Amino acid sequence: LCSNQSNTRQHPLLVGTTGVGKTQILHGLAKRIAEGNVPDALKGKKLFMVNTTDLANGGAWGKMWNLEKMLHNIRGYESEAIFFFDELHIAFYKSNRDLGQKLKTVMDPSPGGLKFCVGATTIQEHRAFMAKDEAFNRRSHIIEVLPMDPEETKVAMGQIISNNLRQVIVEDGVLPLLS
């Protein structure tokens, strides 16, 4: 996202298997932004999580109206907004072609396009609906999100427990079993 300060923008596209943690990465980014624990280029940004399924609902007019309404609401604050489009592949279904075209337009590096966008999709959906779209590929940078290995899982669980995040209760002796 920090490299998007230049005119050669490419928006990150998180690609990984279902449940690997693509959305959690953005939740973590939102927390770090709120704490001010990010590079200067991201300080003061607002992260908007957009459920692409909700955006696509409502028939042909509803899809475009929902996106236009969203863009209208941030007018004047585009440089402060980071949009996260979860399940982005839905915009590329044949039935949502207009929405996909509009998203490609707003992700364009020309003036008027959104400066900061992040998308997330699965590997299968990316291959089936997005990989062949040259215009979209020029505007995005694929970041493969891999599952954590057992040691990384143990460290993450240890941090959750020590910070008492989400009131997680883990019985003694469970963490060594993760290896």
Side-chain angles (χ1 to χ4, degrees), residues 51-126:
N51 184 322
T52 310
T53 303
D54 290 344
L55 194 61
N57 285 337
W61 290 106
K63 294 170 197 175
M64 296 310 292
W65 184 85
N66 288 339
L67 182 59
E68 291 297 332
K69 182 178 176 186
M70 182 183 79
L71 295 172
H72 176 76
N73 286 337
I74 60 115
R75 214 164 263 138
Y77 299 98
E78 293 90 345
S79 64
E80 298 171 28
I82 300 172
F83 283 94
F84 172 51
F85 293 94
D86 202 3
E87 306 292 338
L88 184 60
H89 59 272
I90 291 169
F92 291 84
Y93 287 171
K94 199 173 200 175
S95 61
N96 294 327
R97 189 169 302 176
D98 292 341
L99 178 60
Q101 286 300 114
K102 182 64 176 178
L103 281 174
K104 285 188 284 190
T105 301
V106 299
M107 292 172 75
D108 189 67
S110 63
L114 293 174
K115 194 165 192 170
F116 302 101
C117 293
V118 180
T121 189
T122 65
I123 295 166
Q124 298 83 355
E125 256 89 19
H126 177 262

Side-chain angles (χ1 to χ4, degrees), residues 29-44:
L29 176 61
K31 183 176 187 263
R32 289 183 66 181
I33 289 171
E35 295 168 346
N37 187 16
V38 291
D40 289 341
L42 296 178
K43 287 187 176 167

